[in-house]
Every structure is written in C-alpha cells, then in structure tokens.
Amino acid sequence: MNVFYEEDGSFKVGNVMQAAEASFQVEAISGKRSKIKAANVLLKFNEPSLAEFMPRAEASAEEIDIPFLWECCGEDEFGFEQLAEDYFGHKPSAVEAAAVAIRLHAAPMYFYRKGKGRYKAAPADTLKAALAGLEKKRLQAEQAAKYVEQLAQFELPDAFKPLVMPLLFKPDKNTLEFKALDQACKDLQISPLRLFERCGALPDAHDYHLQMFLLEYFPKGTGFPPAPPTPIDIELPIAEAPAFSLDDSSTTEIDDAFTVQPQAGGGWRVGVHIAAPTLGILPDSPLDQIVMQRLSTVYFPGNKYTMLPDEVVQRFTLQEGQICPTVSMYIDITADFDVIGTESRVEQVRVAANLRNDVLEAQFNDETLANDTDGEYPFKTELRLLWQFACALEKRRGKYDPNRPPQVDYNFHVENDQIRITTRKRGSPIDKLVSELMIFVNCEWGGLLGKKNVPGIYRAQANGKVRMTTNPAPHQGLGVPQYAWSSSPLRRAVDLINQRQLLAVLRDEPAPYPKGSSVLFEAMRDFDATYNAYLDFQDGMERYWCLRWLKQENITDVGGVVLRDGQSVRLTGIPLVTKVAAMPELSPGTRVELSVGDVDYLSREVDCKFKGLASAPAEMLADDGDDEHTRIDADDLTEQAETTPTEQAETTVESGSDNPV
C-alpha cells in the first residue's frame, strides 16, 4: 500500500512498510525511510506506481482552473476529496483527488486552510482585493525590471528625476524606485551616487553638496515662517558717545560696536556694545522656536543662511545711522591700559559708522601703525587707542608672542560661478582689536553669571580638549578663568541664551534658565552638534571651491608642505589638504612639488602625484603644518587664534554638577 501525505508544507508519497494506529513507517522512492503521523496521510492508493503518482498528479493539477474551482466549492468548509468529486463529476481517482489537493494548497488567496485536507473558499470581496494586490505587485515587478534595465544602461527613468536627492540622502526603502536602484547598483557593483553620476543626474556637484546639507538641516526649506519680534516696552537710556563697528563688507548681522570716552582724571572709558535681540525674542515664542531650531547662522562661500529672519536682523543689527538697543560693557582703563573697573548696562547707542575691514585695513595695519603713516580715517584716535588696549589685554592673558610664526587666513569670493581666493595675515590690528575685546567681555560676563550663581553656557579647555559646560571653567587656550559666548546673539543661539541670563542679572530678575534646567542643557547639546555640523559643511564647501580654483586657474603643478602624518600635503596658496600617493617619507614642514591630476567634485578629492622636493627652504608656520584658517564669521577669531583643529575636533558637551547628563 502507498500513501499520499503532507509533511513540512509539501506533499509526498511513500510505500507503507509498517502501519500502526497513529503512525506509519514509509519508504520513499529514493529508499529513505521515515516515520509519519497517520493524521498527515491524505490518501491511500495502490495504483499508479509510486514513481508515477506525483508526476501525474502535478500534471493534472496544472490543468485545473483555479477560479472555476473556487466557483465550484460554495461557501461552506469542505474536504479536498469532496471538491474533487464535484469538479470531475465522478468519484475521483487517487491521482485526481491528489491533483485537487495540490491545486488548493497552491492557491491560498482563493482557499483558506482549515485543517489537513480541509479548506474554505475566500469571500468574494476579500478575494477581489487580494487579486488586485497581486496584480499591483506584478505590475510593480515589471516596472522595477524596466527601471533596472534603464539604469543598467545609465539612463535615468523619468520617475527618478525628482527623487535623486531623497534617494541619495534618506531613501524610503519600501518604494519601487529604491528597490530598483538597489538592484541596479548590486548588478553593476557601483554606488548609487556614482550610478546617478553616470546617468547624468548630478550635473552640478555644488548643488549636490548643498542639497544634501539642506535635506539634513533644512528639510522644510531655508525660508522663515511669520514670527515678528515682540515690541520693546521699556524706555532705554541712550549712550553719550557715538559708536562704530568693525566688520567685513558682506556682514549684515552686526553684533558689536565700540565707543571711547576720555576721562576727566586721565584714562578712558571703553564701551563694548552688543546687539540685544533678546529684548524682542521672548523664551518659547515663535521666534525663539526658530532660533532653537536653526541655532546658528550658516556660512559658506558665496552665501549664508541667517539664524534670524531678515526683518528681525534689521530690527536689531547695529546699523549705521540708527539708535539701537544693546547690552553694553564699559571698561575703565588707565593711561597705561590697566583695567580699573567695569560696568554693564542695558541701553541704546547711536551707531555713527559701520567701518568695513577690507576698506579700513589699507590704512589701519601693522606697517602704517609702526611707521605712523596711516593718514586720516574715521575714528582714527579711537581705533589706535583700542588697538593699544587690545595689545595690553593680549599680554595680560599671557598670549603675546612677537616671535610666533605668521598664520594665513583665506577668504573666498564667489561671483558668477567664478572663485577668487585671497589671503591675509592673521592677527592684523583689526583682528586683534575685535578678538581681544570680545574675549574680555565674554570672560567678564561669564564671570558675572558665575558670581550671581546663574547658569550659562561656557566653553572650557583643559589638556588640549575643548568642552561646553553650564558652569564656569578655565579656558587654557585663551588664558582666561571662564569664557561664555555672549557677543554674537544675532548669529548664535548660545550667545542669545547667555544674553538672556545676563539681562536677568542686570535687571535683578529670575533667570529664564535656572540651575538644573534641562532646557539649558538640551540647547547646549543641540547647539554643539549643529554648530560643528555647520562648520563641517562650510569646510566641505570651501574644499569644493579650492578644487574649482585649481581647474579654473589651469593649475597643473603646485607646491605644498608636508603635514605631520607624513602622507598629507597642504597646498600653497589655498587652504586645501590632500593625500599624496607614493610620496617618500619626509619630515613635517618639508616643501614639495606636486603634479595635479584628476579632480572629483563629488568626492571633493584631487589626484596629486609627488614630483620632487621644492628648492625653497622648509615652511614652518605657527600651526606646524596643520591646516587651519579663519572661517567667515570673524567673531570666531577669538578662539581659533588659540586652538588647533585637533582640539576643535575633540569638543565635547558637559553639564554642570547641577545638571548631570
């Protein structure tokens, strides 16, 4: 006797060697013997032979029309042999019954299993929906195959054109387009980026890098929702002396300005005036939510995305000819530039002039000051005095070093898709004047918050590691007991937060962020991560434009300086570092000559080959061969002048003891 049985979801046949009440010992055609449960046996037969049974049953099953079979079965539960008799119109043979069982088993959308050999027809509505879904999948599979075929020929399907950036950035892996792209990339052994490049979907590498950044940090666009500032409802006194600012010509967010007043008994009163947007941006207001979402202005060559809407910037920027609200620090100094006292207040200042660095520096520089050949320019007396005061502050911090090798800053000017990269020596009189006064006020205001036991957001440095903390701590690189960013509230959320805390102290009011405030720590953490990401983006875009400059200027050979790792070279004239293959082992600072090969704008890499040693002597800059240059935000000079890129990369966030992580 032979049996037709179900095992592990499939049908099998075997010859019964031994039978018991609950089980059978069977032998398959291959000779393998096994024990099966009697409940799994669906049919017993003697004919046809064991070898013929399954081929004949499967061939017969192929001839059975499933929709017709479904129409024959009715709505009640049934056994397969019963349906086989209705279908064939006579008592079915073992082969015919097995054919129906095989067909029922292979059509789960049409027939629901109710037990061994028993089924129930799917309801008409359910079956219709299931068949529609199956048809949809079939059509999708066909469409995906067409997409894969097009992509394999490096043709971009029309449906992919609006999806290129999302597919590269954060793709929805359930979409048909992603599945087709993934399959094509596997077949071609190529990355999605390179596949789209071959398809001509990325004609503009600059736009690619920009869009990838915007998708990550500005998914809803760079525009601003309506969020007007709150009107200032208090009367503020107006400072006596006219103020002036020092910024690049492209600066629109003018955060700081200065005044100088001679004192009757000798010495001067120096005023540092910081824009006060906190007077019109209340905590948790719609405008504050924008600030806490953006956290900083984003700078990159040729453009920027401001932290605040333009109408808010224009309301609080220290614009020439306007009377503007400020948080001011007055510093009383002697004729020898010793600080004898400070006073902070909330007031308004008359901004007499917005002096522009690129114009002023032609007259106000190291050479003209040393030789007294600077001629006449606005606020000459005040600027000279502030520069002397800045030099004294630098010495007082222990950071004055006349023998320090020069460092170079690079500025990027993009116009009509052309790049111009200019250089200037770091530490010019303008740089020193601004940075030293900003370091002073950020240190003093941070100390004031600490004395009043009001938390703020500080940058601290110890053992070469920079961290952010809610408690005052020394910054060894700057040589100050504490350092709280407070001087750029139009451009950085941290400065705006610290200004709120400072205003509360000056007005003797409760601080918006008390000790233990989770909001303060979360803002610090989010700012640190976002600000560093913005700087990485700026670095990446500057690197892109450096590569564009190499091609624009038809540079085929270039000099460079070997860096500390012995494999990287900083190119001469531009802030670009690249690995050089097959370069001999050379000491850091060695000048070399390189040939410039292929440039890849998508990966932002250039293929440079070692040609030989340069004839000029080794170049030893202050950074000892590390690539470092000033970012567009001039206020960052205060810290970049004292920290290396390695230290900046190791920045961490730390809460105070009052606010554990």
Side-chain angles (χ1 to χ4, degrees):
M1 180 179 66
N2 301 321
V3 291
F4 172 74
Y5 64 95
E6 183 181 349
E7 185 179 63
D8 297 330
S10 62
F11 295 116
K12 300 178 181 179
V13 292
N15 177 249
V16 178
M17 306 298 296
Q18 185 177 351
E21 183 177 350
S23 64
F24 292 94
Q25 188 79 21
V26 299
E27 182 180 49
I29 299 173
S30 63
K32 179 182 177 181
R33 295 188 178 185
S34 57
K35 184 178 181 180
I36 65 172
K37 294 180 180 179
N40 289 346
V41 174
L42 301 178
L43 291 171
K44 299 176 182 178
F45 64 94
N46 292 317
E47 294 181 353
S49 68
L50 200 64
E52 295 177 348
F53 188 88
M54 286 302 294
R56 288 177 58 180
E58 289 172 348
S60 179
E62 289 295 325
E63 297 176 356
I64 297 175
D65 182 69
I66 293 178
F68 179 70
L69 195 65
W70 177 80
E71 293 177 359
C72 293
C73 66
E75 297 180 357
D76 297 330
E77 183 181 320
F78 59 89
F80 74 98
E81 289 181 283
Q82 174 190 347
L83 182 60
E85 183 173 349
D86 292 340
Y87 181 81
F88 289 105
H90 59 263
K91 184 175 179 60
S93 66
V95 169
E96 290 174 331
V100 170
I102 292 171
R103 205 57 166 160
L104 290 170
H105 191 77
M109 283 194 303
Y110 285 83
F111 307 102
Y112 299 155
R113 294 195 63 187
K114 294 297 181 178
K116 297 293 183 181
R118 298 196 62 77
Y119 298 87
K120 181 178 175 59
D125 291 345
T126 304
L127 177 60
K128 183 179 179 181
L131 291 174
L134 184 64
E135 177 64 11
K136 180 180 179 181
K137 289 182 179 179
R138 184 188 69 79
L139 294 174
Q140 287 179 338
E142 290 181 358
Q143 185 62 65
K146 292 179 181 177
Y147 287 157
V148 171
E149 182 180 358
Q150 285 181 275
L151 292 170
Q153 297 173 1
F154 302 113
E155 297 177 3
L156 187 70
D158 290 339
F160 279 65
K161 292 179 180 178
L163 301 175
V164 170
M165 297 306 296
L167 285 170
L168 289 174
F169 175 59
K170 284 185 177 179
D172 181 351
K173 297 184 178 181
N174 294 318
T175 62
L176 185 65
E177 290 78 11
F178 172 81
K179 293 176 181 178
L181 175 64
D182 184 57
Q183 186 60 51
C185 289
K186 289 177 180 177
D187 293 344
L188 296 170
Q189 294 295 296
I190 192 173
S191 69
L193 176 62
R194 295 305 177 186
L195 177 53
F196 281 145
E197 181 186 25
R198 292 286 301 273
C199 291
L202 301 170
D204 189 330
H206 180 278
D207 187 60
Y208 162 72
H209 294 301
L210 178 59
Q211 291 303 317
M212 290 294 279
F213 171 76
L214 294 178
L215 284 170
E216 173 72 21
Y217 292 97
F218 295 87
K220 296 181 180 179
T222 58
F224 292 93
T230 301
I232 300 175
D233 58 359
I234 58 174
E235 290 291 333
L236 297 175
I238 300 177
E240 296 178 6
F244 61 91
S245 65
L246 294 168
D247 292 281
D248 292 332
S249 294
S250 60
T251 301
T252 57
E253 302 149 289
I254 303 175
D255 288 293
D256 50 78
F258 310 98
T259 57
V260 177
Q261 296 171 279
Q263 299 291 78
W268 298 271
R269 167 162 274 209
V270 172
V272 180
H273 310 278
I274 305 301
T278 49
L279 295 173
I281 304 176
L282 302 183
D284 299 323
S285 65
L287 194 50
D288 182 55
Q289 293 173 14
I290 291 174
V291 171
M292 296 308 162
Q293 180 182 13
R294 296 210 172 196
L295 295 169
S296 172
T297 291
V298 183
Y299 297 95
F300 59 102
N303 203 352
K304 67 178 179 181
Y305 300 123
T306 58
M307 181 179 75
L308 292 168
D310 184 63
E311 59 269 23
V312 179
V313 171
Q314 294 305 313
R315 172 65 182 85
F316 292 102
T317 188
L318 304 185
Q319 182 66 42
E320 178 177 313
Q322 301 294 320
I323 299 177
C324 307
T326 65
V327 180
S328 302
M329 176 181 288
Y330 288 97
I331 311 163
D332 293 323
I333 60 177
T334 67
D336 295 326
F337 303 107
D338 291 327
V339 176
I340 58 177
T342 63
E343 178 191 359
S344 296
R345 64 175 71 155
V346 185
E347 61 181 5
Q348 298 183 89
V349 296
R350 294 183 178 90
V351 183
N354 293 142
L355 304 182
R356 298 303 182 175
N357 299 347
D358 44 342
V359 176
L360 178 63
E361 200 161 37
Q363 294 174 284
F364 186 67
N365 56 58
D366 285 320
E367 183 178 351
T368 58
L369 288 171
N371 299 322
D372 198 20
T373 58
D374 48 339
E376 294 299 322
Y377 46 87
F379 291 94
K380 174 180 177 177
T381 301
E382 291 84 350
L383 286 167
R384 274 179 163 265
L385 185 134
L386 290 178
W387 173 66
Q388 292 173 301
F389 180 40
C391 291
L393 290 174
E394 183 182 40
K395 292 176 182 178
R396 198 165 292 125
R397 290 191 299 117
K399 297 302 176 179
Y400 176 72
D401 182 6
N403 299 316
R404 177 186 296 174
Q407 289 179 290
V408 175
D409 295 330
Y410 298 88
N411 295 316
F412 293 74
H413 310 274
V414 179
E415 187 174 354
N416 298 326
D417 208 32
Q418 295 290 303
I419 178 65
R420 182 167 54 92
I421 303 175
T422 59
T423 61
R424 62 191 295 270
K425 187 179 73 171
R426 180 180 296 181
S428 69
I430 293 177
D431 291 348
K432 184 176 295 188
L433 187 160
V434 174
S435 64
E436 288 299 330
L437 288 172
M438 293 307 110
I439 290 172
F440 185 87
V441 298
N442 286 331
C443 172
E444 290 295 310
W445 277 337
L448 179 60
L449 292 179
K451 289 177 184 177
K452 297 296 184 179
N453 204 27
V454 172
I457 299 178
Y458 297 84
R459 288 180 70 82
Q461 185 194 41
N463 301 319
K465 190 173 184 179
V466 179
R467 72 183 192 278
M468 299 188 76
T469 173
T470 57
N471 284 331
H475 194 300
Q476 292 177 349
L478 294 176
V480 294
Q482 66 277 320
Y483 184 75
W485 266 343
S486 311
S487 51
S488 291
L490 292 175
R491 295 181 283 179
R492 288 190 302 237
V494 164
D495 300 59
L496 188 138
I497 288 172
N498 282 336
Q499 190 178 85
R500 282 178 177 158
Q501 300 292 82
L502 179 62
L503 281 175
V505 169
L506 297 179
R507 293 174 167 180
D508 197 22
E509 298 174 349
Y513 311 100
K515 272 190 171 294
S517 169
S518 60
V519 175
L520 185 66
F521 177 68
E522 289 170 4
M524 177 180 69
R525 179 197 59 200
D526 293 344
F527 173 83
D528 187 66
T530 303
Y531 190 68
N532 286 328
Y534 289 177
L535 295 182
D536 288 343
F537 168 67
Q538 179 179 335
D539 284 343
M541 297 309 291
E542 290 179 357
R543 184 176 180 85
Y544 166 83
W545 282 109
C546 284
L547 298 176
R548 286 285 301 270
W549 182 86
L550 288 174
K551 286 299 184 181
Q552 174 185 293
E553 302 299 319
N554 297 316
I555 304 297
T556 57
D557 298 291
V558 66
V561 180
V562 178
L563 302 187
R564 291 174 183 169
D565 64 2
Q567 299 177 342
S568 301
V569 173
R570 182 186 56 219
L571 303 189
T572 301
I574 56 175
L576 180 64
V577 172
T578 184
K579 296 281 187 181
V580 179
M583 187 170 65
E585 187 173 340
L586 298 170
S587 60
T590 303
R591 292 182 62 87
V592 295
E593 292 291 337
L594 308 174
S595 62
V596 179
D598 294 335
V599 171
D600 188 333
Y601 295 122
L602 289 177
S603 65
R604 291 185 285 217
E605 295 294 340
V606 57
D607 180 22
C608 287
K609 292 183 171 56
F610 177 76
K611 289 184 65 177
L613 298 178
S615 57
E619 176 186 354
M620 298 302 291
L621 298 182
D623 57 10
D624 193 22
D626 278 320
D627 178 51
E628 180 185 1
H629 62 278
T630 303
R631 305 185 190 279
I632 297 174
D633 184 355
D635 191 47
D636 289 339
L637 282 169
T638 56
E639 197 157 337
Q640 287 189 343
E642 306 299 341
T643 57
T644 67
T646 301
E647 291 164 352
Q648 292 170 356
E650 292 177 347
T651 299
T652 59
V653 177
E654 179 181 289
S655 70
S657 58
D658 59 297
N659 190 10
V661 178

